[in-house]
Amino acid sequence: ERSAPPRVLEEIYKLMGCGKAEVSLGMLLEYGLLSRLLPEVGPYWERNRERLVALGRALDHVDRGHRQVSNALMLALLYHDPWRQVMADDPDVDAMSAARDLITPAAMAMSVPRRDVGRLKSLLTTQIRFEKAKRGRRMRLSEFLGRPGVQEAIDLLYVLSLAGSADPELHATWAEKLAHTLGDVDRPRPEVLEEP
């Protein structure tokens, strides 16, 4: 309680990126620390302990303690399932508004850099874009895949699929589209995605 919030946030990142996230996240729950550190999402994870442990296991598998996963992606792992629950509880809520309402209190309390907060919101809301296109201005698939953060959102989708929080087929589809687009950037693509 006397620790500086940025220091506590850095410790959360270290616990998740040390290669032992499965054990570390389980211990945060066991000692009641996750709800004290992140009260917006901690209670959700207390009710869904096995899902959080599975996320830690998936993160360990992907990162192997090399700290290659961004801070925003680590936070997205903690916020994704609770964010989905907020939207399931209120189908009329906008995805970005739900993300903002869930993330803002912790961002302020923990002094999360604005850059990471913006990336976190983008990582979450891009998951919706992967699931279904929205009506609106059309955008070429290559333009969408070339946007900053989309590749990282596909990485998030991969970790979520390993943990059972997302459809592995959905990840495979988008990973294939990304590889296909990056492998042949100069040729125009007929595929399009609807811009919201």
PDB file of all heavy atoms in Angstrom, residues 36-73:
ATOM      1  N   ARG A  36      -6.693  -6.379  -4.886  1.00  0.00           N
ATOM      2  CA  ARG A  36      -6.214  -5.134  -4.275  1.00  0.00           C
ATOM      3  C   ARG A  36      -5.470  -4.279  -5.292  1.00  0.00           C
ATOM      4  O   ARG A  36      -5.558  -3.059  -5.265  1.00  0.00           O
ATOM      5  CB  ARG A  36      -5.308  -5.441  -3.087  1.00  0.00           C
ATOM      6  CG  ARG A  36      -6.103  -6.083  -1.953  1.00  0.00           C
ATOM      7  CD  ARG A  36      -5.292  -6.247  -0.753  1.00  0.00           C
ATOM      8  NE  ARG A  36      -5.255  -4.962  -0.056  1.00  0.00           N
ATOM      9  CZ  ARG A  36      -4.601  -4.775   1.063  1.00  0.00           C
ATOM     10  NH1 ARG A  36      -3.974  -5.777   1.634  1.00  0.00           N
ATOM     11  NH2 ARG A  36      -4.598  -3.605   1.648  1.00  0.00           N
ATOM     12  N   LEU A  37      -4.733  -4.944  -6.189  1.00  0.00           N
ATOM     13  CA  LEU A  37      -3.951  -4.200  -7.177  1.00  0.00           C
ATOM     14  C   LEU A  37      -4.813  -3.729  -8.341  1.00  0.00           C
ATOM     15  O   LEU A  37      -4.648  -2.615  -8.834  1.00  0.00           O
ATOM     16  CB  LEU A  37      -2.809  -5.071  -7.712  1.00  0.00           C
ATOM     17  CG  LEU A  37      -1.772  -5.513  -6.693  1.00  0.00           C
ATOM     18  CD1 LEU A  37      -0.795  -6.506  -7.306  1.00  0.00           C
ATOM     19  CD2 LEU A  37      -1.022  -4.299  -6.138  1.00  0.00           C
ATOM     20  N   LEU A  38      -5.709  -4.591  -8.797  1.00  0.00           N
ATOM     21  CA  LEU A  38      -6.569  -4.276  -9.943  1.00  0.00           C
ATOM     22  C   LEU A  38      -8.021  -4.587  -9.573  1.00  0.00           C
ATOM     23  O   LEU A  38      -8.587  -5.591  -9.999  1.00  0.00           O
ATOM     24  CB  LEU A  38      -6.138  -5.099 -11.160  1.00  0.00           C
ATOM     25  CG  LEU A  38      -4.714  -4.861 -11.672  1.00  0.00           C
ATOM     26  CD1 LEU A  38      -4.334  -5.885 -12.732  1.00  0.00           C
ATOM     27  CD2 LEU A  38      -4.558  -3.451 -12.216  1.00  0.00           C
ATOM     28  N   PRO A  39      -8.639  -3.725  -8.753  1.00  0.00           N
ATOM     29  CA  PRO A  39      -9.987  -4.019  -8.256  1.00  0.00           C
ATOM     30  C   PRO A  39     -11.056  -4.112  -9.340  1.00  0.00           C
ATOM     31  O   PRO A  39     -12.099  -4.717  -9.111  1.00  0.00           O
ATOM     32  CB  PRO A  39     -10.275  -2.866  -7.292  1.00  0.00           C
ATOM     33  CG  PRO A  39      -9.315  -1.793  -7.634  1.00  0.00           C
ATOM     34  CD  PRO A  39      -8.112  -2.455  -8.230  1.00  0.00           C
ATOM     35  N   GLU A  40     -10.793  -3.568 -10.520  1.00  0.00           N
ATOM     36  CA  GLU A  40     -11.791  -3.643 -11.595  1.00  0.00           C
ATOM     37  C   GLU A  40     -11.877  -5.044 -12.195  1.00  0.00           C
ATOM     38  O   GLU A  40     -12.927  -5.444 -12.683  1.00  0.00           O
ATOM     39  CB  GLU A  40     -11.462  -2.641 -12.718  1.00  0.00           C
ATOM     40  CG  GLU A  40     -11.536  -1.192 -12.290  1.00  0.00           C
ATOM     41  CD  GLU A  40     -10.323  -0.750 -11.458  1.00  0.00           C
ATOM     42  OE1 GLU A  40      -9.248  -1.375 -11.567  1.00  0.00           O
ATOM     43  OE2 GLU A  40     -10.469   0.212 -10.702  1.00  0.00           O
ATOM     44  N   VAL A  41     -10.764  -5.785 -12.175  1.00  0.00           N
ATOM     45  CA  VAL A  41     -10.763  -7.118 -12.801  1.00  0.00           C
ATOM     46  C   VAL A  41     -10.492  -8.244 -11.806  1.00  0.00           C
ATOM     47  O   VAL A  41     -10.795  -9.402 -12.086  1.00  0.00           O
ATOM     48  CB  VAL A  41      -9.759  -7.197 -13.976  1.00  0.00           C
ATOM     49  CG1 VAL A  41     -10.138  -6.204 -15.065  1.00  0.00           C
ATOM     50  CG2 VAL A  41      -8.324  -6.993 -13.517  1.00  0.00           C
ATOM     51  N   GLY A  42      -9.929  -7.926 -10.657  1.00  0.00           N
ATOM     52  CA  GLY A  42      -9.590  -8.960  -9.674  1.00  0.00           C
ATOM     53  C   GLY A  42     -10.758  -9.843  -9.271  1.00  0.00           C
ATOM     54  O   GLY A  42     -10.632 -11.074  -9.273  1.00  0.00           O
ATOM     55  N   PRO A  43     -11.923  -9.268  -8.936  1.00  0.00           N
ATOM     56  CA  PRO A  43     -13.059 -10.121  -8.554  1.00  0.00           C
ATOM     57  C   PRO A  43     -13.491 -11.084  -9.667  1.00  0.00           C
ATOM     58  O   PRO A  43     -13.869 -12.225  -9.395  1.00  0.00           O
ATOM     59  CB  PRO A  43     -14.166  -9.115  -8.230  1.00  0.00           C
ATOM     60  CG  PRO A  43     -13.429  -7.880  -7.801  1.00  0.00           C
ATOM     61  CD  PRO A  43     -12.209  -7.846  -8.676  1.00  0.00           C
ATOM     62  N   TYR A  44     -13.411 -10.638 -10.913  1.00  0.00           N
ATOM     63  CA  TYR A  44     -13.754 -11.530 -12.023  1.00  0.00           C
ATOM     64  C   TYR A  44     -12.819 -12.740 -12.010  1.00  0.00           C
ATOM     65  O   TYR A  44     -13.262 -13.884 -12.149  1.00  0.00           O
ATOM     66  CB  TYR A  44     -13.641 -10.798 -13.375  1.00  0.00           C
ATOM     67  CG  TYR A  44     -13.808 -11.739 -14.538  1.00  0.00           C
ATOM     68  CD1 TYR A  44     -15.064 -12.016 -15.048  1.00  0.00           C
ATOM     69  CD2 TYR A  44     -12.709 -12.387 -15.103  1.00  0.00           C
ATOM     70  CE1 TYR A  44     -15.227 -12.902 -16.097  1.00  0.00           C
ATOM     71  CE2 TYR A  44     -12.861 -13.282 -16.147  1.00  0.00           C
ATOM     72  CZ  TYR A  44     -14.116 -13.533 -16.636  1.00  0.00           C
ATOM     73  OH  TYR A  44     -14.269 -14.431 -17.676  1.00  0.00           O
ATOM     74  N   TRP A  45     -11.521 -12.481 -11.842  1.00  0.00           N
ATOM     75  CA  TRP A  45     -10.544 -13.578 -11.879  1.00  0.00           C
ATOM     76  C   TRP A  45     -10.643 -14.468 -10.645  1.00  0.00           C
ATOM     77  O   TRP A  45     -10.333 -15.653 -10.724  1.00  0.00           O
ATOM     78  CB  TRP A  45      -9.131 -13.039 -12.072  1.00  0.00           C
ATOM     79  CG  TRP A  45      -8.928 -12.469 -13.437  1.00  0.00           C
ATOM     80  CD1 TRP A  45      -8.602 -11.189 -13.750  1.00  0.00           C
ATOM     81  CD2 TRP A  45      -9.059 -13.161 -14.688  1.00  0.00           C
ATOM     82  NE1 TRP A  45      -8.529 -11.035 -15.118  1.00  0.00           N
ATOM     83  CE2 TRP A  45      -8.800 -12.240 -15.707  1.00  0.00           C
ATOM     84  CE3 TRP A  45      -9.367 -14.471 -15.040  1.00  0.00           C
ATOM     85  CZ2 TRP A  45      -8.836 -12.576 -17.062  1.00  0.00           C
ATOM     86  CZ3 TRP A  45      -9.410 -14.812 -16.386  1.00  0.00           C
ATOM     87  CH2 TRP A  45      -9.144 -13.882 -17.376  1.00  0.00           C
ATOM     88  N   GLU A  46     -11.086 -13.920  -9.521  1.00  0.00           N
ATOM     89  CA  GLU A  46     -11.302 -14.761  -8.342  1.00  0.00           C
ATOM     90  C   GLU A  46     -12.397 -15.793  -8.613  1.00  0.00           C
ATOM     91  O   GLU A  46     -12.322 -16.915  -8.128  1.00  0.00           O
ATOM     92  CB  GLU A  46     -11.660 -13.900  -7.128  1.00  0.00           C
ATOM     93  CG  GLU A  46     -10.468 -13.139  -6.582  1.00  0.00           C
ATOM     94  CD  GLU A  46     -10.834 -12.177  -5.477  1.00  0.00           C
ATOM     95  OE1 GLU A  46     -12.036 -12.095  -5.100  1.00  0.00           O
ATOM     96  OE2 GLU A  46      -9.927 -11.501  -4.975  1.00  0.00           O
ATOM     97  N   ARG A  47     -13.400 -15.404  -9.405  1.00  0.00           N
ATOM     98  CA  ARG A  47     -14.479 -16.334  -9.766  1.00  0.00           C
ATOM     99  C   ARG A  47     -14.072 -17.277 -10.904  1.00  0.00           C
ATOM    100  O   ARG A  47     -14.729 -18.283 -11.133  1.00  0.00           O
ATOM    101  CB  ARG A  47     -15.731 -15.555 -10.196  1.00  0.00           C
ATOM    102  CG  ARG A  47     -16.380 -14.756  -9.088  1.00  0.00           C
ATOM    103  CD  ARG A  47     -17.695 -14.135  -9.534  1.00  0.00           C
ATOM    104  NE  ARG A  47     -17.621 -13.344 -10.752  1.00  0.00           N
ATOM    105  CZ  ARG A  47     -17.288 -12.055 -10.811  1.00  0.00           C
ATOM    106  NH1 ARG A  47     -16.972 -11.403  -9.703  1.00  0.00           N
ATOM    107  NH2 ARG A  47     -17.268 -11.424 -11.970  1.00  0.00           N
ATOM    108  N   ASN A  48     -13.021 -16.923 -11.626  1.00  0.00           N
ATOM    109  CA  ASN A  48     -12.587 -17.692 -12.800  1.00  0.00           C
ATOM    110  C   ASN A  48     -11.103 -18.012 -12.725  1.00  0.00           C
ATOM    111  O   ASN A  48     -10.349 -17.799 -13.682  1.00  0.00           O
ATOM    112  CB  ASN A  48     -12.903 -16.901 -14.081  1.00  0.00           C
ATOM    113  CG  ASN A  48     -14.380 -16.670 -14.261  1.00  0.00           C
ATOM    114  OD1 ASN A  48     -15.103 -17.551 -14.682  1.00  0.00           O
ATOM    115  ND2 ASN A  48     -14.834 -15.470 -13.896  1.00  0.00           N
ATOM    116  N   ARG A  49     -10.689 -18.512 -11.598  1.00  0.00           N
ATOM    117  CA  ARG A  49      -9.279 -18.759 -11.314  1.00  0.00           C
ATOM    118  C   ARG A  49      -8.598 -19.623 -12.377  1.00  0.00           C
ATOM    119  O   ARG A  49      -7.493 -19.315 -12.825  1.00  0.00           O
ATOM    120  CB  ARG A  49      -9.152 -19.422  -9.942  1.00  0.00           C
ATOM    121  CG  ARG A  49      -7.740 -19.739  -9.547  1.00  0.00           C
ATOM    122  CD  ARG A  49      -7.690 -20.531  -8.228  1.00  0.00           C
ATOM    123  NE  ARG A  49      -6.351 -20.925  -7.930  1.00  0.00           N
ATOM    124  CZ  ARG A  49      -5.519 -20.229  -7.191  1.00  0.00           C
ATOM    125  NH1 ARG A  49      -5.912 -19.098  -6.651  1.00  0.00           N
ATOM    126  NH2 ARG A  49      -4.297 -20.656  -6.971  1.00  0.00           N
ATOM    127  N   GLU A  50      -9.246 -20.712 -12.770  1.00  0.00           N
ATOM    128  CA  GLU A  50      -8.624 -21.622 -13.739  1.00  0.00           C
ATOM    129  C   GLU A  50      -8.357 -20.936 -15.075  1.00  0.00           C
ATOM    130  O   GLU A  50      -7.375 -21.234 -15.743  1.00  0.00           O
ATOM    131  CB  GLU A  50      -9.483 -22.879 -13.932  1.00  0.00           C
ATOM    132  CG  GLU A  50      -9.492 -23.783 -12.717  1.00  0.00           C
ATOM    133  CD  GLU A  50      -8.093 -24.181 -12.257  1.00  0.00           C
ATOM    134  OE1 GLU A  50      -7.255 -24.551 -13.112  1.00  0.00           O
ATOM    135  OE2 GLU A  50      -7.826 -24.113 -11.045  1.00  0.00           O
ATOM    136  N   ARG A  51      -9.235 -20.020 -15.451  1.00  0.00           N
ATOM    137  CA  ARG A  51      -9.040 -19.297 -16.714  1.00  0.00           C
ATOM    138  C   ARG A  51      -7.827 -18.379 -16.640  1.00  0.00           C
ATOM    139  O   ARG A  51      -7.078 -18.248 -17.599  1.00  0.00           O
ATOM    140  CB  ARG A  51     -10.286 -18.507 -17.069  1.00  0.00           C
ATOM    141  CG  ARG A  51     -11.456 -19.426 -17.419  1.00  0.00           C
ATOM    142  CD  ARG A  51     -12.683 -18.667 -17.728  1.00  0.00           C
ATOM    143  NE  ARG A  51     -12.565 -18.114 -19.077  1.00  0.00           N
ATOM    144  CZ  ARG A  51     -13.556 -17.543 -19.715  1.00  0.00           C
ATOM    145  NH1 ARG A  51     -14.734 -17.428 -19.137  1.00  0.00           N
ATOM    146  NH2 ARG A  51     -13.395 -17.076 -20.928  1.00  0.00           N
ATOM    147  N   LEU A  52      -7.624 -17.746 -15.477  1.00  0.00           N
ATOM    148  CA  LEU A  52      -6.449 -16.882 -15.316  1.00  0.00           C
ATOM    149  C   LEU A  52      -5.174 -17.708 -15.316  1.00  0.00           C
ATOM    150  O   LEU A  52      -4.177 -17.322 -15.934  1.00  0.00           O
ATOM    151  CB  LEU A  52      -6.555 -16.062 -14.028  1.00  0.00           C
ATOM    152  CG  LEU A  52      -5.402 -15.072 -13.795  1.00  0.00           C
ATOM    153  CD1 LEU A  52      -5.365 -14.022 -14.901  1.00  0.00           C
ATOM    154  CD2 LEU A  52      -5.521 -14.421 -12.434  1.00  0.00           C
ATOM    155  N   VAL A  53      -5.195 -18.837 -14.640  1.00  0.00           N
ATOM    156  CA  VAL A  53      -4.027 -19.717 -14.620  1.00  0.00           C
ATOM    157  C   VAL A  53      -3.723 -20.206 -16.041  1.00  0.00           C
ATOM    158  O   VAL A  53      -2.564 -20.283 -16.451  1.00  0.00           O
ATOM    159  CB  VAL A  53      -4.251 -20.886 -13.636  1.00  0.00           C
ATOM    160  CG1 VAL A  53      -3.152 -21.926 -13.759  1.00  0.00           C
ATOM    161  CG2 VAL A  53      -4.319 -20.352 -12.193  1.00  0.00           C
ATOM    162  N   ALA A  54      -4.770 -20.504 -16.817  1.00  0.00           N
ATOM    163  CA  ALA A  54      -4.576 -20.922 -18.208  1.00  0.00           C
ATOM    164  C   ALA A  54      -3.958 -19.804 -19.038  1.00  0.00           C
ATOM    165  O   ALA A  54      -3.099 -20.053 -19.901  1.00  0.00           O
ATOM    166  CB  ALA A  54      -5.906 -21.367 -18.815  1.00  0.00           C
ATOM    167  N   LEU A  55      -4.353 -18.555 -18.780  1.00  0.00           N
ATOM    168  CA  LEU A  55      -3.728 -17.419 -19.478  1.00  0.00           C
ATOM    169  C   LEU A  55      -2.254 -17.320 -19.129  1.00  0.00           C
ATOM    170  O   LEU A  55      -1.418 -17.070 -20.000  1.00  0.00           O
ATOM    171  CB  LEU A  55      -4.433 -16.111 -19.119  1.00  0.00           C
ATOM    172  CG  LEU A  55      -5.708 -15.778 -19.850  1.00  0.00           C
ATOM    173  CD1 LEU A  55      -6.326 -14.508 -19.284  1.00  0.00           C
ATOM    174  CD2 LEU A  55      -5.461 -15.631 -21.338  1.00  0.00           C
ATOM    175  N   GLY A  56      -1.943 -17.500 -17.843  1.00  0.00           N
ATOM    176  CA  GLY A  56      -0.540 -17.478 -17.425  1.00  0.00           C
ATOM    177  C   GLY A  56       0.262 -18.578 -18.102  1.00  0.00           C
ATOM    178  O   GLY A  56       1.387 -18.356 -18.561  1.00  0.00           O
ATOM    179  N   ARG A  57      -0.323 -19.773 -18.180  1.00  0.00           N
ATOM    180  CA  ARG A  57       0.342 -20.906 -18.840  1.00  0.00           C
ATOM    181  C   ARG A  57       0.593 -20.599 -20.314  1.00  0.00           C
ATOM    182  O   ARG A  57       1.671 -20.853 -20.854  1.00  0.00           O
ATOM    183  CB  ARG A  57      -0.523 -22.155 -18.692  1.00  0.00           C
ATOM    184  CG  ARG A  57       0.119 -23.424 -19.171  1.00  0.00           C
ATOM    185  CD  ARG A  57      -0.782 -24.649 -18.947  1.00  0.00           C
ATOM    186  NE  ARG A  57      -1.399 -24.668 -17.629  1.00  0.00           N
ATOM    187  CZ  ARG A  57      -2.712 -24.603 -17.406  1.00  0.00           C
ATOM    188  NH1 ARG A  57      -3.575 -24.548 -18.414  1.00  0.00           N
ATOM    189  NH2 ARG A  57      -3.186 -24.624 -16.177  1.00  0.00           N
ATOM    190  N   ALA A  58      -0.411 -20.025 -20.983  1.00  0.00           N
ATOM    191  CA  ALA A  58      -0.266 -19.672 -22.398  1.00  0.00           C
ATOM    192  C   ALA A  58       0.797 -18.599 -22.590  1.00  0.00           C
ATOM    193  O   ALA A  58       1.617 -18.676 -23.510  1.00  0.00           O
ATOM    194  CB  ALA A  58      -1.614 -19.198 -22.958  1.00  0.00           C
ATOM    195  N   LEU A  59       0.816 -17.612 -21.704  1.00  0.00           N
ATOM    196  CA  LEU A  59       1.829 -16.556 -21.779  1.00  0.00           C
ATOM    197  C   LEU A  59       3.219 -17.139 -21.576  1.00  0.00           C
ATOM    198  O   LEU A  59       4.159 -16.787 -22.287  1.00  0.00           O
ATOM    199  CB  LEU A  59       1.535 -15.470 -20.747  1.00  0.00           C
ATOM    200  CG  LEU A  59       2.470 -14.270 -20.719  1.00  0.00           C
ATOM    201  CD1 LEU A  59       2.479 -13.555 -22.064  1.00  0.00           C
ATOM    202  CD2 LEU A  59       2.058 -13.313 -19.610  1.00  0.00           C
ATOM    203  N   ASP A  60       3.357 -18.041 -20.627  1.00  0.00           N
ATOM    204  CA  ASP A  60       4.654 -18.700 -20.408  1.00  0.00           C
ATOM    205  C   ASP A  60       5.094 -19.453 -21.653  1.00  0.00           C
ATOM    206  O   ASP A  60       6.270 -19.431 -22.020  1.00  0.00           O
ATOM    207  CB  ASP A  60       4.572 -19.680 -19.229  1.00  0.00           C
ATOM    208  CG  ASP A  60       4.428 -18.982 -17.895  1.00  0.00           C
ATOM    209  OD1 ASP A  60       4.732 -17.773 -17.806  1.00  0.00           O
ATOM    210  OD2 ASP A  60       3.988 -19.657 -16.933  1.00  0.00           O
ATOM    211  N   HIS A  61       4.157 -20.111 -22.301  1.00  0.00           N
ATOM    212  CA  HIS A  61       4.474 -20.880 -23.512  1.00  0.00           C
ATOM    213  C   HIS A  61       4.974 -19.965 -24.634  1.00  0.00           C
ATOM    214  O   HIS A  61       5.937 -20.280 -25.320  1.00  0.00           O
ATOM    215  CB  HIS A  61       3.234 -21.645 -23.978  1.00  0.00           C
ATOM    216  CG  HIS A  61       3.414 -22.328 -25.290  1.00  0.00           C
ATOM    217  ND1 HIS A  61       4.127 -23.498 -25.422  1.00  0.00           N
ATOM    218  CD2 HIS A  61       2.993 -21.992 -26.540  1.00  0.00           C
ATOM    219  CE1 HIS A  61       4.135 -23.860 -26.700  1.00  0.00           C
ATOM    220  NE2 HIS A  61       3.442 -22.964 -27.386  1.00  0.00           N
ATOM    221  N   VAL A  62       4.316 -18.819 -24.787  1.00  0.00           N
ATOM    222  CA  VAL A  62       4.650 -17.902 -25.875  1.00  0.00           C
ATOM    223  C   VAL A  62       5.924 -17.114 -25.579  1.00  0.00           C
ATOM    224  O   VAL A  62       6.808 -17.002 -26.422  1.00  0.00           O
ATOM    225  CB  VAL A  62       3.474 -16.919 -26.118  1.00  0.00           C
ATOM    226  CG1 VAL A  62       3.870 -15.794 -27.032  1.00  0.00           C
ATOM    227  CG2 VAL A  62       2.290 -17.675 -26.689  1.00  0.00           C
ATOM    228  N   ASP A  63       6.029 -16.584 -24.382  1.00  0.00           N
ATOM    229  CA  ASP A  63       7.115 -15.655 -24.059  1.00  0.00           C
ATOM    230  C   ASP A  63       8.356 -16.346 -23.509  1.00  0.00           C
ATOM    231  O   ASP A  63       9.465 -15.875 -23.715  1.00  0.00           O
ATOM    232  CB  ASP A  63       6.602 -14.605 -23.069  1.00  0.00           C
ATOM    233  CG  ASP A  63       7.567 -13.449 -22.927  1.00  0.00           C
ATOM    234  OD1 ASP A  63       8.023 -12.922 -23.952  1.00  0.00           O
ATOM    235  OD2 ASP A  63       7.862 -13.082 -21.782  1.00  0.00           O
ATOM    236  N   ARG A  64       8.176 -17.420 -22.778  1.00  0.00           N
ATOM    237  CA  ARG A  64       9.274 -18.181 -22.174  1.00  0.00           C
ATOM    238  C   ARG A  64      10.225 -17.316 -21.333  1.00  0.00           C
ATOM    239  O   ARG A  64      11.403 -17.563 -21.268  1.00  0.00           O
ATOM    240  CB  ARG A  64      10.064 -18.914 -23.251  1.00  0.00           C
ATOM    241  CG  ARG A  64       9.265 -19.988 -23.953  1.00  0.00           C
ATOM    242  CD  ARG A  64      10.113 -20.739 -24.970  1.00  0.00           C
ATOM    243  NE  ARG A  64       9.370 -21.802 -25.571  1.00  0.00           N
ATOM    244  CZ  ARG A  64       8.591 -21.666 -26.641  1.00  0.00           C
ATOM    245  NH1 ARG A  64       8.456 -20.490 -27.200  1.00  0.00           N
ATOM    246  NH2 ARG A  64       7.956 -22.700 -27.135  1.00  0.00           N
ATOM    247  N   GLY A  65       9.677 -16.255 -20.734  1.00  0.00           N
ATOM    248  CA  GLY A  65      10.474 -15.413 -19.853  1.00  0.00           C
ATOM    249  C   GLY A  65      11.431 -14.478 -20.553  1.00  0.00           C
ATOM    250  O   GLY A  65      12.306 -13.901 -19.917  1.00  0.00           O
ATOM    251  N   HIS A  66      11.272 -14.288 -21.857  1.00  0.00           N
ATOM    252  CA  HIS A  66      12.192 -13.427 -22.602  1.00  0.00           C
ATOM    253  C   HIS A  66      11.756 -11.969 -22.657  1.00  0.00           C
ATOM    254  O   HIS A  66      12.417 -11.151 -23.283  1.00  0.00           O
ATOM    255  CB  HIS A  66      12.381 -13.953 -24.031  1.00  0.00           C
ATOM    256  CG  HIS A  66      13.041 -15.287 -24.083  1.00  0.00           C
ATOM    257  ND1 HIS A  66      14.320 -15.510 -23.636  1.00  0.00           N
ATOM    258  CD2 HIS A  66      12.585 -16.494 -24.501  1.00  0.00           C
ATOM    259  CE1 HIS A  66      14.635 -16.783 -23.799  1.00  0.00           C
ATOM    260  NE2 HIS A  66      13.594 -17.404 -24.313  1.00  0.00           N
ATOM    261  N   ARG A  67      10.610 -11.645 -22.033  1.00  0.00           N
ATOM    262  CA  ARG A  67      10.078 -10.274 -22.027  1.00  0.00           C
ATOM    263  C   ARG A  67       9.905  -9.725 -23.439  1.00  0.00           C
ATOM    264  O   ARG A  67      10.166  -8.566 -23.716  1.00  0.00           O
ATOM    265  CB  ARG A  67      10.972  -9.326 -21.210  1.00  0.00           C
ATOM    266  CG  ARG A  67      11.114  -9.613 -19.747  1.00  0.00           C
ATOM    267  CD  ARG A  67       9.876  -9.321 -18.929  1.00  0.00           C
ATOM    268  NE  ARG A  67       9.309  -8.014 -19.178  1.00  0.00           N
ATOM    269  CZ  ARG A  67       9.188  -7.070 -18.279  1.00  0.00           C
ATOM    270  NH1 ARG A  67       9.598  -7.270 -17.057  1.00  0.00           N
ATOM    271  NH2 ARG A  67       8.630  -5.927 -18.574  1.00  0.00           N
ATOM    272  N   GLN A  68       9.449 -10.581 -24.352  1.00  0.00           N
ATOM    273  CA  GLN A  68       9.200 -10.158 -25.720  1.00  0.00           C
ATOM    274  C   GLN A  68       7.775  -9.642 -25.890  1.00  0.00           C
ATOM    275  O   GLN A  68       7.472  -9.005 -26.887  1.00  0.00           O
ATOM    276  CB  GLN A  68       9.429 -11.322 -26.684  1.00  0.00           C
ATOM    277  CG  GLN A  68      10.859 -11.787 -26.695  1.00  0.00           C
ATOM    278  CD  GLN A  68      11.043 -13.045 -27.528  1.00  0.00           C
ATOM    279  OE1 GLN A  68      10.085 -13.689 -27.922  1.00  0.00           O
ATOM    280  NE2 GLN A  68      12.280 -13.388 -27.777  1.00  0.00           N
ATOM    281  N   VAL A  69       6.920  -9.938 -24.961  1.00  0.00           N
ATOM    282  CA  VAL A  69       5.531  -9.508 -25.021  1.00  0.00           C
ATOM    283  C   VAL A  69       5.436  -8.105 -24.424  1.00  0.00           C
ATOM    284  O   VAL A  69       6.000  -7.837 -23.367  1.00  0.00           O
ATOM    285  CB  VAL A  69       4.628 -10.500 -24.249  1.00  0.00           C
ATOM    286  CG1 VAL A  69       3.206 -10.020 -24.194  1.00  0.00           C
ATOM    287  CG2 VAL A  69       4.704 -11.885 -24.896  1.00  0.00           C
ATOM    288  N   SER A  70       4.728  -7.224 -25.101  1.00  0.00           N
ATOM    289  CA  SER A  70       4.640  -5.833 -24.643  1.00  0.00           C
ATOM    290  C   SER A  70       3.830  -5.720 -23.355  1.00  0.00           C
ATOM    291  O   SER A  70       3.015  -6.591 -23.029  1.00  0.00           O
ATOM    292  CB  SER A  70       4.009  -4.963 -25.726  1.00  0.00           C
ATOM    293  OG  SER A  70       2.625  -5.211 -25.812  1.00  0.00           O
ATOM    294  N   ASN A  71       4.043  -4.627 -22.661  1.00  0.00           N
ATOM    295  CA  ASN A  71       3.272  -4.348 -21.450  1.00  0.00           C
ATOM    296  C   ASN A  71       1.784  -4.252 -21.770  1.00  0.00           C
ATOM    297  O   ASN A  71       0.941  -4.737 -21.015  1.00  0.00           O
ATOM    298  CB  ASN A  71       3.751  -3.053 -20.795  1.00  0.00           C
ATOM    299  CG  ASN A  71       5.144  -3.177 -20.240  1.00  0.00           C
ATOM    300  OD1 ASN A  71       5.665  -4.269 -20.040  1.00  0.00           O
ATOM    301  ND2 ASN A  71       5.780  -2.049 -19.991  1.00  0.00           N
ATOM    302  N   ALA A  72       1.459  -3.618 -22.893  1.00  0.00           N
ATOM    303  CA  ALA A  72       0.049  -3.475 -23.279  1.00  0.00           C
ATOM    304  C   ALA A  72      -0.588  -4.844 -23.512  1.00  0.00           C
ATOM    305  O   ALA A  72      -1.729  -5.077 -23.110  1.00  0.00           O
ATOM    306  CB  ALA A  72      -0.062  -2.606 -24.529  1.00  0.00           C
ATOM    307  N   LEU A  73       0.144  -5.771 -24.130  1.00  0.00           N
ATOM    308  CA  LEU A  73      -0.411  -7.093 -24.371  1.00  0.00           C
ATOM    309  C   LEU A  73      -0.606  -7.841 -23.051  1.00  0.00           C
ATOM    310  O   LEU A  73      -1.615  -8.520 -22.870  1.00  0.00           O
ATOM    311  CB  LEU A  73       0.486  -7.896 -25.315  1.00  0.00           C
ATOM    312  CG  LEU A  73      -0.176  -9.143 -25.892  1.00  0.00           C
ATOM    313  CD1 LEU A  73       0.268  -9.373 -27.323  1.00  0.00           C
ATOM    314  CD2 LEU A  73       0.130 -10.364 -25.071  1.00  0.00           C
TER     315      LEU A  73
END
